[in-house]
Amino acid sequence: MSELLRDAGERRLIELVSSYFDCEEEDCAVVEIQGAQILISSDMLHQKTDFPAQMTPYQMGWSLVAVNLSDIAAMGAKPLYFLSALGLPSDFELESFKELISGIESCTSRFGVEVIGGDLDSHDEITLTGTVIGTPGDGKIVRRSGASIGDLVCVTGYLGSAGGGLRLLKEDENLDQTNPLVKALLEPFPRVEEGLILSNSGYVTSMTDISDGLLVSLSDLSRASGISFKIDEEKIPVYSDDLLEFAWSAGGDYELLFTVRREKIDELEELVDFTVIGSVVAKGAGDRLSPLGYDHFRGMRNSDFYASK
Amino acid sequence: MSELLRDAGERRLIELVSSYFDCEEEDCAVVEIQGAQILISSDMLHQKTDFPAQMTPYQMGWSLVAVNLSDIAAMGAKPLYFLSALGLPSDFELESFKELISGIESCTSRFGVEVIGGDLDSHDEITLTGTVIGTPGDGKIVRRSGASIGDLVCVTGYLGSAGGGLRLLKEDENLDQTNPLVKALLEPFPRVEEGLILSNSGYVTSMTDISDGLLVSLSDLSRASGISFKIDEEKIPVYSDDLLEFAWSAGGDYELLFTVRREKIDELEELVDFTVIGSVVAKGAGDRLSPLGYDHFRGMRNSDFYASK
């Protein structure tokens, strides 16, 4: 019998495509055009997986921009331009369309990003693809591959919040959206400003965003840097302890995970809010972290593959 | 009752988004980053509208690249990099996935374009978004807005072929794919090389590609340049006269439509193969051309909106 994508699993598919095109796994592609260093990333969202029933068209537009900007933030770069390809049902309401556009406008203008165009298409399932283009802030970017033994492992914000928000909405579908967990789920806030400060500091050795749970992101840094991690679960920042399982394995948080030279941690703490959750150790000497995050093809994770040449 | 997208129609939606974000309607966005001039375009294809049942996964991958490169060709620029966001069903076969990737590889390498990454997602309907990044060839690009009265109107290749191919496949679903009409439909060939020669010549005053039929493309140039056209229908290049209706209104040809300074037409004919089909006349003095091409939201056309600032 022929093997299907769900048998292969997303990890193997990503490896297959990355090696086919000789791409490293990064949050953005990094290329040089006429001497300019440019970062590009493209992410697709769709109704079935990414838009809970309570999500408004405004929030869909906001989220489309936010998840794309998060990939630029993950490399500590500055986003400049945004393009969209919007696939919408022909019976989608015009007013909802305007709200969606307004959500795209709010999130791009919040981060000083210019919308430069896109594609419109009719599609049975709401399917939105965004592409973001950026440049290094002060000439620096942070990759996944620079973590060294002894570095400290840090995260911004609170983890597991989006997963907790989704659970709350399943329990009470009319829940007030001012609840911080629900808000984290429906209006993710990309850490663009933090990412820029972290990369400009020069103290951060590796970084990625946490779009599919902490386990997946740790696994990505571990593979790229050739190291392992000791994580102190008690230090993982969560609004409440019952969110820890979501922190490890649920998608949607869009916080930053990064490693810092130990001797610079005090200086960095004066620049950005973050939490130290562990340290970098030699390969094989760390916790056993398996990539148990969300794989779309197995009902689990989702991932990018990007060149960084 | 609330107005729906299909009531508004794609033309009005495009105008709404373009004016909201202050984008002109072009085939690509044109931006400057650190002094480098960069063209970007993003196009989404999906099974229901864009992939006839006979289309192989290889041809889907080829087409995804081709339609995106066609937008770069339409401005006479040079494509450099390609990104994809691939939404595929979890029961898609791994072998088909490899064929799709191989189709992306064939078309990018045919045109010297490098694949720099993308996004993978599970999606009920096959949904493929591509993004292409390019630069001006010899420092020049051609926009939709430069046509002047007296210029000649020209097209590359044969029109109506893809529409004819689709009709043939509806009549005989097992038709040999070596038929030139079927091949035009299933493996569109973007006019990248011709576009570059045309822009570098300096003789071409406006240009676009014909992705949704000649009427739509003429209407786009007419609106952007503030002129009208006299078209000699007998001169429209078609494999057979029964394809004329497709030439006017069917999608999928991906040929170039452009205007040329009349006194330079002989010089240009030595550089590229094309056909003169009419001339540019004053606004209001031309043929009555209504944009009757494909509108996705009304069962008709599809369109891009791009900044060109």
Side-chain angles (χ1 to χ4, degrees), chain A residues 118-309:
Chain A
D119 185 27
L120 256 186
D121 209 344
S122 152
H123 207 294
D124 290 343
E125 183 185 357
I126 302 173
T127 305
L128 313 177
T129 305
T131 300
V132 61
I133 298 102
T135 50
D138 268 1
K140 293 174 195 155
I141 53 172
V142 183
R143 300 177 189 271
R144 293 181 179 176
S145 52
S148 297
I149 296 169
D151 289 350
L152 295 175
V153 182
C154 314
V155 295
T156 59
Y158 291 86
L159 305 189
S161 307
L166 189 59
R167 183 177 60 185
L168 287 177
L169 286 181
K170 280 178 182 164
E171 288 163 7
D172 174 6
E173 59 184 34
N174 299 313
L175 193 74
D176 181 3
Q177 291 199 9
T178 58
N179 178 298
L181 301 185
V182 174
K183 196 164 166 67
L185 173 72
L186 299 179
E187 293 179 38
F189 196 84
R191 296 295 188 178
V192 174
E193 285 132 16
E194 291 83 351
L196 272 167
I197 296 171
L198 291 170
S199 69
N200 288 341
S201 76
Y203 306 154
V204 173
T205 53
S206 72
M207 186 154 65
T208 189
D209 67 342
I210 310 180
S211 50
D212 304 301
L214 187 56
L215 275 173
V216 168
S217 297
L218 285 168
S219 160
D220 287 343
L221 290 191
S222 157
R223 205 170 46 252
S225 294
I227 46 80
S228 291
F229 295 106
K230 287 265 184 207
I231 301 298
D232 186 350
E233 192 178 61
E234 288 182 8
K235 292 193 178 156
I236 295 174
V238 284
Y239 280 116
S240 57
D241 283 348
D242 61 325
L243 298 175
L244 263 179
E245 57 171 316
F246 297 126
W248 285 114
S249 303
D253 282 328
Y254 300 104
E255 296 294 344
L256 296 176
L257 169 70
F258 54 97
T259 56
V260 183
R261 289 158 56 198
R262 190 178 288 260
E263 69 275 19
K264 296 296 184 185
I265 200 78
D266 294 341
E267 290 178 55
L268 199 61
E269 273 172 344
E270 287 176 19
L271 304 174
V272 193
D273 285 333
F274 61 87
T275 309
V276 178
I277 62 166
S279 59
V280 177
V281 297
K283 198 166 178 172
D287 301 328
R288 292 183 61 83
L289 302 170
S290 54
L292 290 176
Y294 195 83
D295 182 319
H296 275 242
F297 290 100
R298 289 174 161 162
M300 285 164 77
R301 70 173 282 192
N302 173 31
S303 201
D304 298 322
F305 53 98
Y306 283 111
S308 181
K309 294 174 181 183

Side-chain angles (χ1 to χ4, degrees), chain A residues 88 92-101, chain B residues 5 13 17:
Chain A
L88 298 166
F92 198 71
E93 293 185 5
L94 186 61
E95 278 310 306
S96 301
F97 177 73
K98 289 178 183 169
E99 279 178 43
L100 193 155
I101 298 301
Chain B
L5 295 194
L13 298 177
V17 186

Side-chain angles (χ1 to χ4, degrees), chain A residues 2-8 10 12-14 16-17 20-21 23 28-38 40-46 48-50 80-81 83-95 97-98 101-105 108 114-129 131 133-136 296-298 301-309, chain B residues 2-8 10 12-14 16-17 20-21 23 28-38 40-46 48-50 80-81 83-95 97-98 101-105 108 114-129 131 133-136 296-298 301-309:
Chain A
S2 349
E3 194 174 10
L4 308 179
L5 295 194
R6 67 167 161 261
D7 304 324
E10 192 156 348
R12 192 168 137 215
L13 298 177
I14 292 287
L16 195 152
V17 187
Y20 197 99
F21 293 119
C23 294
C28 297
V30 185
V31 295
E32 207 174 283
I33 302 182
Q34 295 167 28
Q37 200 177 25
I38 291 165
I40 310 165
S41 176
S42 191
D43 264 332
M44 180 187 281
L45 296 181
H46 60 115
K48 196 172 162 184
T49 316
D50 302 296
L80 298 175
Y81 300 109
L83 290 89
S84 58
L86 311 176
L88 298 166
S90 58
D91 63 355
F92 198 71
E93 293 185 5
L94 186 61
E95 278 310 306
F97 177 73
K98 289 178 183 169
I101 298 301
S102 155
I104 291 176
E105 201 281 326
T108 48
E114 194 176 349
V115 175
I116 54 169
D119 185 27
L120 256 186
D121 209 344
S122 152
H123 207 294
D124 290 343
E125 183 185 357
I126 302 173
T127 305
L128 313 177
T129 305
T131 300
I133 298 102
T135 50
H296 275 242
F297 290 100
R298 289 174 161 162
R301 70 173 282 192
N302 173 31
S303 201
D304 298 322
F305 53 98
Y306 283 111
S308 181
K309 294 174 181 183
Chain B
S2 347
E3 195 175 10
L4 309 179
L5 295 194
R6 67 166 160 261
D7 305 324
E10 191 155 350
R12 194 170 135 215
L13 298 177
I14 292 285
L16 195 151
V17 186
Y20 198 99
F21 293 118
C23 293
C28 297
V30 185
V31 295
E32 207 174 282
I33 301 182
Q34 296 167 26
Q37 200 176 23
I38 292 167
I40 311 167
S41 176
S42 191
D43 265 331
M44 180 187 280
L45 298 180
H46 60 113
K48 196 171 162 187
T49 316
D50 302 296
L80 298 175
Y81 300 110
L83 290 90
S84 59
L86 311 176
L88 298 166
S90 59
D91 62 356
F92 198 72
E93 293 185 5
L94 185 62
E95 277 311 306
F97 177 73
K98 289 179 183 170
I101 298 302
S102 154
I104 290 176
E105 201 280 327
T108 48
E114 194 177 349
V115 176
I116 54 170
D119 185 27
L120 256 185
D121 209 343
S122 151
H123 207 292
D124 289 343
E125 184 186 355
I126 301 173
T127 305
L128 313 178
T129 305
T131 300
I133 297 102
T135 50
H296 274 243
F297 290 99
R298 291 174 159 162
R301 71 173 281 194
N302 172 31
S303 201
D304 297 323
F305 54 98
Y306 284 111
S308 181
K309 295 173 181 184

